[in-house]
Amino acid sequence: MSDNLCWDTTPLYSSPSAPELNQAFEGAASQVAAFRERYRGKVAELSAEGLLEALKSYEKLQEDLAVPQLYAHLLFAADSESDLHKRLSQKSQEFGNAMGRELLFFDLEIIQMEEEPFQKLVKDSLLDNYRHFLEVLRKFKAHTLSEREESLLSQKSLTGVQAFCRLFDEVSASLRYTLEMDGETKEVTGEELLALLHHPDAEVRERAFGTFLKKHEENGILYSAVFNNVALDHSQEMELRNYRHPMEPTNLGNEIPNEVVESLMQVSEKNYPLAQEYFRLKARLLGMPKLKNTDVYAPLTESDRKYSFEEARAMTVEAYRGFSEEFAQLADSFFTGRRVDVMPRPGKSGGAFCMGMTPELPPYLLLNFTGNLRDVATIAHEVGHGIHYLLAQRQTMLNYHPPLPLAETASVFGEMLLTRQLLERETDVEVKKSLLCAKIEDIIATTFRQNVLTRFEEQMHLRRNDGLLTANELCDLWWSENAKLYGDSVEMIEPYRYGWSYISHFIHARFYCYSYTCAELVVLSLFQRYLKERESFVPVYRDILADGGSKSPGDTLAPAGIVFSDPSFWQGGYDLLGDLIAELKALL
């Protein structure tokens, strides 16, 4: 495989056995010990000047701790079968856990400060840059335990929930599949099987997805054990921390009230008939009486065009250039800087991600490129994440990462730029139909499907409180939530009962999925404004991304006129989806 298709991690460390890497672990540990010695038990006594100094030191620590751990994660994601990478990943996980326990005191002492002195400090202009960080910490005051209890919970997670997460990753990456194609039996990766959902032959689509899901069913005992233990761990922690609902800690961290998240999900569910209308329309376009869920992403024509990676890269950069030359240059920097790992292979993590590093280091992208149009959109998506991180580098470390509800904004906006560019340049009506279908399917996947995932996850956690969930019960729950979306417009294939088992967000990022729904509807609103204002909108959007995590989601989006608490805002996004479906109908 060409070196240009694999990322270059040597700017971080020359190799996993480099002396500098070991020195980074040791140096960070020494700094943590010194910080603890200096500040433990004294945070409440600090003046504004003293707290500012402590926060700057804390930020520097967070950066120094992050780099070797992120490096280990990149290596493990690229090749989880390497024993060297496995050992480094485990060392990194244990190191991060230990350092986190040593630094727990700092957040806790801020959280536990008396209200009057805290308010006096937080209003001091010296702490302007850290005000949001400090106020978010305080939101968890009613749910925080003592330092000893927090430390024990963190320490035990290494052999508890974190161990189950690691088991999920290693088993998923190790699965091998065989598929007969054109009279030849081949060994393929899971990503290659999922890519065949875009194959022009319905029988191939169903057989590929069925092969993928049946392998997960064969490992159903393991997957159900992992899901049960992750849910049980969360349930016990909720009880310890006095939370009332499984989503409450996520919503609190996201600075979005529970009722706003529930409103988002209810508005989504009310619009499920829009998706069903599209599925019936897609069946007509394909000449089928009814879709199976393996047909949702089927191409409209027999010629399922394939793109080379160089073509996909050029299309992505050009789409961003149509928005802003600066954005195009930032997009291209990932490729020229060799910070992208492109092709699927055994042992490599599935899916795609953007790894934000620090305000000083550029992000990395992982892809599993198989050459279809959706893979081109995935590049635009992950590059959008990367641009978000690059623009947020004007922030300091504690304000660097965007909040969860905005984490998918730049990525989804990038996909919209790509789609609109392709639609505007295309003259062939049949190709336009295909492009519109791809965009509509993407919106359905990013809103309605993610809402289904969130409801399944919510119900899984609620029902786990009543006892162990068998694999069959998880399957029934998954089937039920998906049936609400599909209604009578789509027939689900039987192996899809195990569709829950490969969704890594359920394991790694509890209730992350609604952030996709939130971001898609935010982006539809932002994009409508962009189409009206064009160049004058660019600085508004740029500032939204450059804010990183320095403000609440509501404050970050306020300059764009977005109000999360208004249900009509969410509905507006679905109205635009309805317009796209009408646009497709007009082409028939």
Side-chain angles (χ1 to χ4, degrees):
M1 186 182 295
S2 167
D3 285 345
N4 289 331
L5 297 181
C6 298
W7 53 32
D8 177 15
T9 56
T10 57
L12 303 175
Y13 300 100
S14 59
S15 76
S17 54
E20 295 83 5
L21 178 57
N22 198 48
Q23 289 164 13
F25 281 117
E26 292 176 354
S30 296
Q31 292 175 55
V32 167
F35 183 86
R36 183 178 173 85
E37 176 67 27
R38 180 173 182 183
Y39 289 110
R40 185 169 183 262
K42 304 168 188 173
V43 175
E45 303 164 9
L46 295 174
S47 62
E49 293 85 351
L51 184 55
L52 177 63
E53 183 181 354
L55 285 163
K56 287 182 174 180
S57 297
Y58 185 66
E59 273 192 317
K60 177 66 167 59
L61 269 180
Q62 295 298 330
E63 290 199 51
D64 291 345
L65 288 168
V67 179
Q69 294 182 76
L70 292 170
Y71 174 72
H73 184 85
L74 289 174
L75 295 187
F76 186 75
D79 181 8
S80 65
E81 295 183 345
S82 162
D83 288 340
L84 186 58
H85 294 175
K86 285 181 183 180
R87 283 194 293 270
L88 179 60
S89 175
Q90 185 62 35
K91 174 183 177 178
S92 165
Q93 197 172 61
E94 292 174 11
F95 170 80
N97 187 283
M99 295 302 98
R101 297 199 310 272
E102 290 294 292
L103 291 171
L104 263 175
F105 78 90
F106 189 67
D107 286 1
L108 292 176
E109 289 186 32
I110 291 171
I111 290 170
Q112 292 161 0
M113 283 177 66
E114 294 295 329
E115 187 64 18
E116 188 176 336
F118 173 79
Q119 289 301 329
K120 184 178 179 182
L121 274 176
V122 82
K123 289 173 183 173
D124 195 296
S125 60
L126 282 173
L127 297 173
D128 282 353
N129 183 57
Y130 300 100
R131 183 169 297 117
H132 178 246
F133 168 76
L134 294 168
E135 289 177 343
V136 170
L137 274 184
R138 294 282 286 193
K139 290 177 184 287
F140 290 90
K141 186 170 185 177
H143 309 289
T144 303
L145 308 175
S146 69
E147 183 185 353
R148 175 65 174 160
E149 290 168 323
E150 294 284 359
S151 180
L152 286 171
L153 282 175
S154 179
Q155 186 173 7
K156 287 297 291 178
S157 71
L158 279 171
T159 53
V161 68
Q162 287 186 39
F164 279 100
C165 292
R166 187 179 183 86
L167 177 64
F168 175 89
D169 287 345
E170 292 198 28
V171 169
S172 297
S174 73
L175 295 180
R176 297 289 179 267
Y177 309 86
T178 56
L179 187 72
E180 185 182 323
M181 287 282 288
D182 303 321
E184 183 183 353
T185 299
K186 297 180 180 179
E187 184 175 283
V188 292
T189 66
E191 289 300 318
E192 289 170 317
L193 284 176
L194 292 175
L196 289 173
L197 285 170
H198 305 274
H199 195 277
D201 188 324
E203 189 273 334
V204 171
R205 294 193 296 268
E206 184 170 349
R207 187 153 45 85
F209 200 32
T211 299
F212 178 78
L213 292 165
K214 284 172 184 173
K215 181 68 72 171
H216 285 74
E217 181 179 1
E218 290 168 15
N219 290 273
I221 293 173
L222 182 144
Y223 283 115
S224 62
V226 169
F227 275 64
N228 269 281
N229 278 281
V230 167
L232 179 60
D233 178 85
H234 183 47
S235 173
Q236 292 179 335
E237 190 157 331
M238 279 179 54
E239 185 178 344
L240 288 170
R241 297 186 183 282
N242 197 31
Y243 287 114
R244 297 162 296 171
H245 188 276
M247 293 178 71
E248 191 177 359
T250 302
N251 297 344
L252 195 59
N254 290 343
E255 300 179 81
I256 297 185
N258 297 335
E259 56 271 19
V260 171
V261 176
E262 180 60 28
S263 170
L264 164 64
M265 294 200 291
Q266 287 182 5
V267 171
S268 297
E269 286 158 346
K270 286 177 184 175
N271 283 277
Y272 281 176
L274 260 184
Q276 293 162 17
E277 177 186 1
Y278 172 74
F279 295 142
R280 293 187 185 97
L281 186 60
K282 180 75 177 274
R284 282 175 53 200
L285 287 166
L286 292 173
M288 293 179 166
K290 186 176 187 177
L291 294 185
K292 292 184 178 180
N293 62 319
T294 48
D295 302 320
V296 168
Y297 305 116
L300 297 187
T301 61
E302 285 294 317
S303 57
D304 185 18
R305 183 183 169 187
K306 291 290 183 180
Y307 299 84
S308 71
F309 179 67
E310 282 306 314
E311 283 180 296
R313 166 187 170 176
M315 290 164 68
T316 298
V317 173
E318 193 58 29
Y320 280 103
R321 181 167 285 114
F323 180 75
S324 154
E325 182 60 35
E326 178 194 16
F327 277 55
Q329 291 175 11
L330 292 175
D332 204 39
S333 70
F334 290 96
F335 308 108
T336 57
R338 287 189 56 204
R339 297 195 309 278
V340 188
D341 196 292
V342 179
M343 308 304 289
R345 58 181 177 272
K348 180 178 174 181
S349 290
F353 67 71
C354 173
M355 174 70 72
M357 305 293 280
T358 74
E360 304 299 323
L361 293 170
Y364 280 74
L365 311 182
L366 180 136
L367 307 171
N368 276 280
F369 184 76
T370 61
N372 60 45
L373 181 60
R374 193 162 296 274
D375 287 341
V376 183
T378 296
I379 298 175
H381 181 103
E382 299 304 335
V383 164
H385 279 305
I387 291 172
H388 200 165
Y389 280 121
L390 288 171
L391 292 176
Q393 286 186 323
R394 78 178 187 184
Q395 305 295 338
T396 56
M397 186 66 178
L398 293 178
N399 294 329
Y400 174 52
H401 290 275
L404 187 61
L406 302 185
E408 296 295 334
T409 303
S411 53
V412 176
F413 195 91
E415 290 187 64
M416 287 291 290
L417 290 173
L418 176 70
T419 299
R420 272 297 156 194
Q421 175 185 270
L422 294 174
L423 280 169
E424 287 167 6
R425 295 183 178 183
E426 189 54 63
T427 56
D428 188 311
V429 173
E430 293 306 311
V431 176
K432 276 197 167 187
K433 286 180 192 174
S434 293
L435 289 170
L436 270 171
C437 283
K439 185 69 253 175
I440 291 166
E441 288 157 18
D442 184 65
I443 294 173
I444 288 172
T446 314
T447 54
F448 296 134
R449 173 172 158 76
Q450 298 302 324
N451 199 71
V452 167
L453 266 58
T454 303
R455 284 298 195 202
F456 165 82
E457 187 176 9
E458 178 188 34
Q459 289 302 311
M460 177 187 75
H461 283 281
L462 289 172
R463 297 190 186 191
R464 182 61 185 85
N465 290 336
D466 298 326
L468 185 78
L469 291 167
T470 65
N472 276 337
E473 287 172 326
L474 288 166
C475 290
D476 289 344
L477 183 55
W478 174 258
W479 195 266
S480 171
E481 290 301 328
N482 278 271
K484 293 173 186 175
L485 171 60
Y486 290 133
D488 63 1
S489 66
V490 173
E491 176 189 343
M492 293 183 282
I493 65 170
E494 183 62 23
Y496 191 56
R497 285 173 55 77
Y498 273 83
W500 54 272
S501 62
Y502 70 94
I503 310 296
S504 62
H505 283 324
F506 295 153
I507 304 302
H508 290 293
R510 194 168 48 244
F511 295 109
Y512 186 92
C513 292
Y514 79 71
S515 68
Y516 288 105
T517 310
C518 179
E520 181 73 54
L521 298 176
V522 165
V523 165
L524 292 175
S525 174
L526 291 175
F527 206 81
Q528 283 173 301
R529 180 168 173 182
Y530 165 60
L531 292 175
K532 291 176 186 173
E533 300 177 13
R534 294 292 179 176
E535 285 186 17
S536 64
F537 174 78
V538 173
V540 175
Y541 178 66
R542 189 191 188 283
D543 283 345
I544 286 172
L545 302 189
D547 277 346
S550 63
K551 301 175 184 173
S552 70
D555 288 344
T556 299
L557 292 172
I562 289 175
V563 182
F564 278 167
S565 59
D566 182 1
S568 66
F569 162 68
W570 306 120
Q571 183 58 47
Y574 289 121
D575 291 344
L576 181 57
L577 172 60
D579 292 343
L580 288 172
I581 294 172
E583 188 177 342
L584 176 62
K585 281 182 176 179
L587 293 176
L588 297 186

